[in-house]
Amino acid sequence: MAGSMLRSVNASIRGAHWLTDADKGAVQQARDYAKAIDEAAGSGDPEYADKVLGWMGPYLTGVLKQLGCTPEGRKNLAVEAKAVKGRLAELRAIRDDSRSA
């Protein structure tokens, strides 16, 4: 399905609430890699598509990892841990408020 890699990358980027303007270059790079993969997949030449995916796929994965858009990337950035700790702190604050009332 042409365009599916770019759609997936865009969905990952939309879900990465921690990204800032400083990440725009890497975000564009990920989109460019995804677009190249989609164009190759839609070329009708399976050998070419496999070659482009084999070449660009690891680069795309690397950029997504740096942006925290893979499980390993989020772990390295401690993005999920921050969200969990934030929610846990919120629940503890609610508990403490109810105890002091």
Side-chain angles (χ1 to χ4, degrees), residues 1-99:
M1 174 182 227
S4 62
M5 185 62 70
L6 182 58
R7 278 195 298 276
S8 295
V9 166
N10 283 332
S12 293
I13 291 167
R14 278 192 305 276
H17 58 83
W18 53 87
L19 296 177
T20 67
D21 286 345
D23 300 306
K24 283 184 177 182
V27 166
Q28 187 59 52
Q29 187 177 29
R31 287 180 172 143
D32 290 346
Y33 287 148
K35 185 177 176 187
I37 292 168
D38 284 339
E39 287 172 356
S43 72
D45 183 347
E47 282 185 38
Y48 174 68
D50 287 346
K51 184 177 181 178
V52 171
L53 180 59
W55 183 259
M56 296 285 198
Y59 289 122
L60 174 58
T61 300
V63 171
L64 292 173
K65 189 186 324 181
Q66 289 176 345
L67 292 170
C69 294
T70 67
E72 183 180 353
R74 286 188 299 279
K75 181 180 176 185
N76 291 340
L77 294 176
V79 172
E80 291 173 345
K82 289 177 188 173
V84 169
K85 287 180 185 176
R87 179 67 178 141
L88 183 57
E90 180 183 327
L91 292 172
R92 285 182 176 153
I94 292 169
R95 179 195 65 196
D96 293 345
D97 286 346
S98 67
R99 286 182 178 176

